[in-house]
Amino acid sequence: MQMLINSDLMTPVFVNASQLDWIASPTAGVDRKMLYREGSEVARATSIVGVVT
């Protein structure tokens, strides 16, 4: 599934990361908050990554 998150690079965006949900990644124990994404799992992307312990 193609995802487009804040993909218009000509438009400034402010993101409050504390309001974003953690999303599980394909790697067990790793979650992420997606800030920017163009594509599916293989994508151009910027994320905050957290390790679940």
Side-chain angles (χ1 to χ4, degrees):
M1 167 176 37
Q2 173 96 355
M3 280 193 256
L4 297 175
I5 301 172
N6 299 321
S7 60
D8 180 0
L9 299 179
M10 298 304 292
T11 303
V13 176
F14 293 90
V15 177
N16 184 342
S18 68
Q19 294 180 346
L20 296 176
D21 292 328
W22 286 103
I23 299 170
S25 77
T27 303
V30 178
D31 290 347
R32 57 195 172 185
K33 292 186 176 196
M34 296 183 189
L35 305 176
Y36 160 78
R37 190 170 199 87
E38 284 187 49
S40 55
E41 200 48 50
V42 175
R44 179 185 300 182
T46 302
S47 301
I48 296 172
V49 178
V51 177
V52 180
T53 57

